[in-house]
């Protein structure tokens, strides 16, 4: 028996031209926590609905560890959150998540990501999103992917446009004590097939399918 016997998600690999996305091991998590402690975005803005990056560096690092451990411990086929690390040339550069509730019925996923500040402006966010969209649509048979970004988050909105997302309404949130408008975005399988700017390969998925609620 090996870890993959009981936890096949550890063998899942998504590969883009520059990145490998995988479920982190403990060394990957340590690197990701350190990356978060070093900085995720301009401190003058808050791009996340859960303002975890407003915490001091050591607390940000701990938040990253606890988030991933919680996702592992609470995983259910009808309620899951897959948190992947993005690795470039052996270096952890960011985190990419994809999750769903009731996927077997709804065939809808949500995505979210962040890249360490030192790696901004290199197009890595596009490759990370491409990887999980390929997993969702080509691998799991999703029909919809939803995302969202605050009105002032031009970088996230630009990534979504590359894949053909369309407006799906707005939400109002409180960010740092002030109102902020989140623009929801939706991508259908048909739209995704017409907008695939990055080639992606996937390994190790077959053994994981029941874990995603896919038979």
């Amino acid at each position: 028996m090996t870890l993959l016997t009981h936890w096949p998600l550890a063998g899942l690999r998504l590969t883009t031209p520059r990145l490998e996305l995988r479920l982190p091991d403990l060394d990957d998590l340590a690197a990701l926590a350190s990356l978060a402690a070093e900085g995720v975005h301009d401190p003058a803005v808050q791009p996340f609905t859960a303002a975890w990056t407003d915490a001091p560096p050591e607390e940000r690092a701990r938040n990253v560890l606890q988030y991933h451990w919680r996702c592992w411990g609470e995983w259910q086929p009808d309620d899951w959150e897959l948190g992947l690390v993005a690795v470039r040339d052996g270096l952890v550069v960011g985190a990419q998540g994809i999750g769903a509730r009731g996927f077997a019925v709804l065939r809808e996923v949500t995505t979210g990501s962040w890249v360490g500040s030192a790696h901004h402006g290199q197009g890595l966010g596009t490759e990370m999103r491409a990887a999980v969209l390929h997993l969702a649509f080509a691998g799991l048979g999703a029909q919809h992917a939803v995302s969202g970004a605050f009105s002032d988050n031009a970088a996230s909105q630009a990534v979504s446009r590359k894949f053909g997302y369309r407006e799906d309404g707005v939400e109002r949130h409180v960010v740092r004590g002030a109102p902020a408008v989140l623009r929801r975005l939706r991508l259908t399988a048909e739209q995704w097939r017409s907008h695939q700017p990055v080639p992606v390969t996937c390994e190790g998925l077959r053994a994981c399918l029941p874990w995603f609620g896919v038979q």
Side-chain angles (χ1 to χ4, degrees):
M1 293 290 184
T2 66
L3 177 63
L4 293 180
T5 303
H6 307 291
W7 189 238
L9 297 167
L12 183 63
R13 297 289 185 274
L14 305 174
T15 305
T16 70
R18 294 181 292 173
L19 300 174
E20 179 181 89
L21 279 76
R22 63 188 185 226
L23 198 75
D25 60 20
L26 292 181
D27 288 337
D28 290 334
L29 274 185
L32 189 66
S34 296
L35 190 67
E38 293 166 3
V40 175
H41 56 77
D42 181 349
V45 300
Q46 177 47 261
F48 303 118
T49 55
W52 65 277
T53 50
D54 281 347
E58 284 305 313
E59 187 176 338
R60 289 201 300 271
R62 185 170 65 250
N63 287 341
V64 167
L65 297 175
Q66 291 178 323
Y67 166 76
H68 284 270
W69 291 334
R70 185 168 58 251
C71 289
W72 296 354
E74 296 179 352
W75 189 288
Q76 297 293 332
D78 63 349
D79 187 357
W80 49 266
E81 183 75 26
L82 180 68
L84 304 170
V85 289
V87 181
R88 181 183 186 186
D89 298 329
L91 185 68
V92 172
V93 297
Q96 176 69 59
I98 177 172
R101 291 185 177 180
F103 181 79
V105 177
L106 298 177
R107 297 288 171 171
E108 179 174 292
V109 299
T110 61
T111 65
S113 67
W114 60 268
V115 176
S117 294
H119 307 285
H120 286 189
Q122 302 174 35
L124 301 181
T126 298
E127 292 193 30
M128 290 161 59
R129 182 89 65 92
V132 292
L133 290 178
H134 179 90
L135 171 64
F137 290 116
L140 302 179
Q143 296 174 355
H144 297 264
V146 294
S147 186
F150 286 118
S151 298
D152 60 356
N153 192 343
S156 179
Q157 294 180 49
V159 170
S160 295
R161 283 195 296 271
K162 292 179 183 178
F163 292 97
Y165 284 79
R166 296 182 182 177
E167 296 283 341
D168 191 41
V170 299
E171 298 175 5
R172 300 182 74 240
H173 292 263
V174 177
V175 176
R176 294 177 174 172
V181 175
L182 181 87
R183 299 193 176 278
R184 295 199 308 265
L185 301 164
R186 180 174 295 272
L187 180 69
T188 67
E190 182 178 1
Q191 291 160 356
W192 171 77
R193 284 191 288 269
S194 300
H195 297 80
Q196 297 183 48
V198 178
V200 180
T201 60
C202 179
E203 298 179 9
L205 178 59
R206 182 178 296 275
C208 302
L209 291 178
W211 289 65
F212 293 107
V214 177
Q215 302 300 324

